[in-house]
Amino acid sequence: MPPTATPPIPTVDSSEVELSIGGMTCASCSARIEKKLNRLEGVTASVNLATEKAKVSYAAGVEVADLIGTVEKLGYTAEEIVPAPPEATGAAPPLPDTTDLEADALRQRLTVSALLALPVVLMAMVPALQFDNWQWLSLTLAAPVVVWGGLPFHRAAWTNARHAAATMDTLVSVGTLAAFGWSLWALFFGDAGMPGMRHGFDLTVSRTEGSSTIYLEVAAGVISFILLGRYLEARSKRKAGAALRALLDLGAKDVAVLRSGTEVRVPIGTLAVGDHFVVRPGEKIATDGTVLEGRSAVDASMLTGESVPVDVGAGDTVTGGCLNTSGRLVVAATRVGADTRLARIAKLVEDAQTGKAQVQRLADKISAVFVPVVIGLALATLGFWLGNGSGPTAAFTAAVAVLIIACPCALGLATPTALMVGTGRGAQLGILIKGPEVLESTRRVDTVVLDKTGTVTSGVMRLHEVYVAEGVQEHRLLRLAGALEHASEHPVARAVTEGAAERLAAVDGTAQGSTGVDHFEGVSDFVNVAGLGVRGTVAGHAVLVGRERLLTEAGIELPAALGHAKEAAEAQGRTAVVVAWDGAARGVLTVADAVKETSAQAVRELRALGLRPVLLTGDNRAVAEAVAAEVGIDAADVHAEALPQDKVAVVERLRTEGRVVAMVGDGVNDAAALATADLGLAMGTGTDAAIEAGDLTLVRGDLRVAADAIRLARRTLATIKGNLCWAFGYNVAALPLAAAGLLNPMIAGAAMAFSSVFVVTNSLRLRTFR
């Protein structure tokens, strides 16, 4: 298995379920739930703090109710996420979005708390504002902030305490209640309640008499700062998941279905495979299908990232969720519900956002033991300051600062927020990242293996050069050859027909018909000569089109000039088609699988990323080397005439040489190589087998997106690592400062709250990736 493989795949008799988890506030919460679920026999779980979901695989004998019960016993809520029924069209509808409700509740609690806490903080920090009995006004204002404003922290801390656990809520609750409790003692039983009492403010620990010191500004200020951090975090998390919600909202809500020739508008959920439906200009295409009637331009930018609308006509496939910009279309539904391309894209993105990168698993392990260690450190700090004679005020202040500064919420948000934004931005650009493990691989990749047909080239034969014998007009050659080949279904014949029609339309200055028939005469006496070509009568001329041997058997010789043109084309790996009529050779047409216009630029971009491009194809060497030369791949890095098993062997050989290999392909014959490579990039225009085998899916059939995908994945991983470095570094640097008495608890609370905001904001920078 390649290193990018996801954690062990469940056995055949196992099932998977997604649970929506409520009540998580920090990384230690998600780590506790994950650890408890994984202790159940036959259960493998991954809990994501940012998405508030648990992805669980469980063996036979385990019930979903057991999983929910396990989570609830820890003091959290759990609910099974039920997938959309298969008959529903488009992406599965998400659970009701609670982010807005959460943000609204936090905003209300924050607003009240901040308005009450501001005078308390100002009076404590500015002695000039302290009038007689000001401390009692501070108590009156601070008490609602501590009790009501801090209620979510106290409630969570109590729930955790009942289950012998501690989280960041424990640190906030214990710290603020301790500061408030000390203040109450000093006011009612000490000297702090005396009229005329004045109180100075210091950024560091003060060594004053404990009975005359109050910490109401610390209790009220810390809760307000942390509520502000939670509110900004909730808003940022919504922005982080905006791309996925936009995908889920793309689908149409109703559709005009043709019933006995009459249009009937019905809910989207009633649409079935085989139904014919109408899409008018400005409407979204209801589901994946094939165009039966009409021509239009379809805007697929949300799915592919390509801003230019694509022209479609009868026989073309269209994707549900795309916008019909101009003409009226009649479409036959080919896929509905969870089978549609939109639904599968949304599922891939959601799965990627629910997973965890390896670096996050390390963070979770640290967070699981972090809070108990911090509580121990706070007690040790208290003991140290009391032991060296600094007095209870200094000891208490330092201990509270340790509790508050150490909250590990930034650790829990470092990876999932970056992953949410990165995968969402990728979906907008037509790049689907299957899971966080993929990000680890892109950093190490140094070789990229490119399949030729359908990846570097279009996979469709095109007419290239037209060589005519002396005295023969090119448009006459094209009319006769195109007319005869139009009667054949062979790919080479189709290339000749379409190419001739395009060129004749350009010469005549007329619009090309949908099949090019307008430019061709009728054909009679048509005969398909197996393996050699075709012959028939066009406009009274006996015409032959095919291999040179077809002419030889008819007693027709190829002139030297045409013979040289044929040999030169074949040396370049192109197919040469000879045309003759009335007993004489009249010209040579060259046909080849056209290299995509963007492939050469894509190879340059891949090289700029430090990758060595390798071309791998089942075609002959001449064709492969011609394509490689055109896009800028060295001949030494060309592997031709490769069967599917040979492609796997090439990838394995490169890996044994110590290379970390990415494979880009689109066909069934590429699936095994995609799975074998360290990183598989499947072209979304390819087969389902290739897409399933790939780690990254490039929705648009443009090789440049491969370079974009690797850049985005590397940028996302770099953001994750930057977030973790900040989160770890922040706690490592701040804890000693707090323990040393160099941080006032209120300043510590502000710094802790804004560390989480920084991590989320840093992740949101990925939304600007181009």
Side-chain angles (χ1 to χ4, degrees), residues 4 37 39 44 55 65 79 119 129 148 204 234 258 356 448 461 555 594 600 622 701 737 767:
T4 59
L37 287 172
R39 281 181 176 172
T44 304
K55 190 171 185 179
E79 183 180 352
L129 298 177
W148 178 78
T204 60
L258 290 176
K356 289 189 179 182
V448 57
M461 302 293 277
L737 291 176
R767 297 174 76 190

Side-chain angles (χ1 to χ4, degrees), residues 252 254-259 261-266 268 271 275-287 290-294 318 324 327-333:
D254 54 22
V255 58
V257 180
L258 290 176
R259 307 280 194 212
T262 304
E263 291 184 29
V264 180
R265 191 156 288 275
V266 299
I268 200 73
L271 194 63
D275 281 349
H276 295 180
F277 61 93
V278 176
V279 190
R280 289 186 173 80
E283 290 184 339
K284 292 178 180 177
I285 297 170
T287 192
T290 303
V291 177
L292 299 176
E293 299 174 18
V318 290
N324 178 26
R328 176 182 182 273
L329 297 175
V330 177
V331 181

Side-chain angles (χ1 to χ4, degrees), residues 206-213 215 390-394:
S206 58
R207 293 167 170 78
T208 56
E209 172 57 41
S211 63
S212 63
T213 305
Y215 291 98
S390 298
T393 302

